[in-house]
Amino acid sequence: MSLDDALLLYIIKSIKGRRFGMSRRPGVEEALKRVSSRYELVHASAKRVKQLLERGEDIFIRDRARGELIKKTFQAIEDIAQGKVQVVRLRKGSEGG
């Protein structure tokens, strides 16, 4: 299984109601308001996680506001929910990278 497949599987399971982060849940409902479907949220979250992983190898990052460790998958959904990252939809036939 590739890293992309593993990230997508983890995010899908997380969105279906499993807990992630350390002690709180991400704003999935808020994030869903910024995308057209759960499918799009999964893909946008996976891309955001890849961006966060490129910044460092550690799976956990420290939440600056609360000082607690959270997973990058949690942070990716929170970033989408809070509008810190924008989900760009490509036109049909466009190649995405």
Side-chain angles (χ1 to χ4, degrees):
M1 180 182 298
S2 72
L3 177 61
D4 289 345
D5 293 338
L7 284 173
L8 288 174
L9 182 61
Y10 181 78
I11 292 170
I12 289 169
K13 288 179 180 179
S14 298
I15 289 174
K16 286 184 176 179
R18 291 189 179 182
R19 293 185 68 94
F20 57 112
M22 291 301 281
S23 61
R24 57 189 175 119
R25 298 175 63 91
V28 174
E29 290 76 23
E30 284 300 313
L32 284 170
K33 292 177 185 176
R34 297 184 180 273
V35 295
S36 61
S37 67
R38 286 182 179 265
Y39 179 80
E40 188 174 47
L41 178 58
V42 167
H43 281 276
S45 299
K47 285 188 174 196
R48 180 63 177 151
V49 168
K50 286 175 81 173
Q51 289 174 345
L52 293 171
L53 286 171
E54 289 173 358
R55 293 183 185 173
E57 295 180 23
D58 199 5
I59 289 291
F60 292 95
I61 56 178
R62 188 155 306 273
D63 183 353
R64 290 183 184 141
R66 297 178 187 232
E68 65 187 13
L69 289 176
I70 57 174
K71 290 185 179 179
K72 289 183 180 182
T73 50
F74 179 97
Q75 187 62 48
I77 294 174
E78 283 293 303
D79 287 350
I80 293 168
Q82 295 171 3
K84 291 181 180 177
V85 294
Q86 184 178 10
V87 178
V88 177
R89 292 171 193 87
L90 298 177
R91 292 184 189 186
K92 204 172 199 176
S94 296
E95 291 287 326

